[in-house]
Amino acid sequence: EKDYSRAVSFFRRAVELDSTKAQPFIEYGWTLAELDTHQNGDASIEAFEKGLALSPEHVGALTNLAVRYGIREDFEKAEECYRKALDLETGLPRKLEILEHFGNFLIVKSKRYERAEQVVRQHLSLLGADYEASHEKVHNRLGRVLYALNRNSEAEKIWRDIHARKPPQAYICFNLGLLMETRLHDHTAAESFYQEALVLNDADEGARTRLANLTNVRYTEARRLLDQEHYSEAVARFRDAAEKNASDVRTWIDLAYCLGKLNDHEGAIAALNKGLSFDPLNLAGNTNLGFYLFYLGDHDGAEKQFL
């Protein structure tokens, strides 16, 4: 039973009765931290500090204190605690666990990416040369660090290696898509990786949003060419946008407009029919199709569209 409120009361009483033992202070700090992650910060820190004053080599207390310092954004003290814990810990499994938490802290909280690279590479060196599925997240973490440091070719190599080694994971596909989109400016490759991410995880809203944004970029560029009356170029861009997002009815309507301007009325009708297959009640699509049919002499067909 995890009744942290009762545990806090118990350990508070324990340290009041005997302030010479480290473990009650450490347990008191831990229960304060568990009671509410974002509250009791100063109280839990004080308890851990008192415990460490009595037992300076307590690795668990050091790592817990590092977490509390990180929440308080006292990054120097947090890093100092992590490094002390690493120096003291001799067991490999526990050392790997500390390196994982330390690396995440440097990446997510303090954003000290140069130091994070050192920690993540140390983590990888302890894992050994043989690549295992369990190592994937550490390799990915190094890719994130290199991406943050704008060392894009190195990040790409790491993520592509992960992508190729085993059935791909959605988050690796997303990372590659993000790299292609934001750093290497290869939107076609980015779209491909985002689409793969969604196939692997349909709930990946990050990939869905970025894919939609890329589609909008294509549409906006095509629309700019239309507004400038560069209809032939606009047709190519609208077709490209439609290939990437066929259900976007506005793309088919604007494609039809450009084709009409180029006197390709049959092509315009085909484009409108395609768009209306996704949204049969679209007013603009039906109206434009009616006008084209009337222009080509299909008065009955036009009447159906207008009605």
Side-chain angles (χ1 to χ4, degrees):
E1 182 182 356
K2 296 181 179 180
D3 190 343
Y4 294 118
S5 296
R6 289 181 62 190
V8 164
S9 299
F10 175 83
F11 286 119
R12 182 188 297 118
R13 183 61 177 160
V15 299
E16 288 172 352
L17 290 172
D18 186 355
S19 61
T20 64
K21 293 183 174 64
Q23 195 61 33
F25 280 108
I26 294 168
E27 296 288 354
Y28 182 37
W30 184 82
T31 51
L32 282 168
E34 288 296 312
L35 185 62
D36 191 323
T37 302
H38 298 290
Q39 295 181 8
N40 303 309
D42 291 339
S44 63
I45 285 172
E46 182 181 357
F48 284 130
E49 288 175 339
K50 287 182 177 179
L52 284 165
L54 295 165
S55 180
E57 298 186 356
H58 196 294
V59 173
L62 283 166
T63 54
N64 276 284
L65 183 55
V67 172
R68 303 310 297 178
Y69 279 142
I71 292 172
R72 200 169 71 176
E73 298 189 357
D74 195 339
F75 297 141
E76 291 295 341
K77 287 185 177 180
E79 187 170 339
E80 182 182 356
C81 287
Y82 277 122
R83 293 195 184 280
K84 283 183 180 178
L86 283 172
D87 289 341
L88 290 168
E89 182 58 57
T90 57
L92 182 59
R94 180 65 177 138
K95 203 176 193 75
L96 292 174
E97 185 180 341
I98 295 169
L99 284 166
E100 179 177 355
H101 289 300
F102 191 14
N104 281 332
F105 159 76
L106 290 168
I107 296 168
V108 177
K109 295 291 290 186
S110 70
K111 303 188 187 305
R112 296 175 174 181
Y113 299 116
E114 291 84 359
R115 298 182 190 182
E117 182 183 1
Q118 296 172 357
V119 170
V120 176
R121 289 193 184 279
Q122 182 183 357
H123 194 168
L124 286 171
S125 70
L126 291 177
L127 289 172
D130 294 335
Y131 187 96
E132 297 180 8
S134 60
H135 302 174
E136 178 184 298
K137 290 185 178 180
V138 187
H139 285 274
N140 176 56
R141 197 172 299 131
L142 180 58
R144 289 173 58 196
V145 170
L146 295 170
Y147 174 87
L149 291 171
N150 208 29
R151 287 157 58 184
N152 302 315
S153 60
E154 295 174 75
E156 180 183 5
K157 183 179 185 307
I158 286 172
W159 284 331
R160 283 192 181 277
D161 284 348
I162 299 172
H163 186 263
R165 282 180 183 270
K166 58 177 290 186
Q169 299 294 313
Y171 71 93
I172 295 297
C173 297
F174 176 83
N175 288 347
L176 280 165
L178 189 66
L179 177 69
M180 294 298 156
E181 177 191 355
T182 62
R183 298 292 174 76
L184 303 183
H185 307 295
D186 185 344
H187 289 178
T188 299
E191 286 172 329
S192 177
F193 282 119
Y194 290 144
Q195 288 166 345
E196 186 178 2
L198 287 168
V199 169
L200 294 166
N201 178 15
D202 187 58
D204 189 338
E205 291 303 320
R208 193 181 310 281
T209 298
R210 299 205 76 95
L211 183 59
N213 289 341
L214 283 175
T215 301
N216 282 333
V217 168
R218 291 178 182 275
Y219 174 82
T220 300
E221 175 60 20
R223 183 71 205 193
R224 182 183 65 81
L225 291 168
L226 182 156
D227 292 339
Q228 293 174 350
E229 300 182 1
H230 299 320
Y231 299 120
S232 294
E233 295 173 66
V235 163
R237 296 299 179 90
F238 280 127
R239 288 195 188 282
D240 187 33
E243 181 181 343
K244 301 301 180 184
N245 185 12
S247 62
D248 188 353
V249 179
R250 62 180 181 166
T251 300
W252 294 107
I253 291 173
D254 286 343
L255 172 60
Y257 177 84
C258 293
L259 290 168
K261 285 292 186 178
L262 295 170
N263 294 317
D264 182 359
H265 302 298
E266 295 293 341
I269 289 172
L272 288 168
N273 279 322
K274 183 68 174 181
L276 288 169
S277 70
F278 297 104
D279 183 8
L281 299 180
N282 185 278
L283 179 60
N286 280 295
T287 301
N288 290 352
L289 181 56
F291 280 126
Y292 279 116
L293 292 172
F294 184 83
Y295 179 80
L296 293 178
D298 185 356
H299 296 165
D300 290 340
E303 184 177 0
K304 289 179 182 179
Q305 295 305 130
F306 290 132
L307 292 177

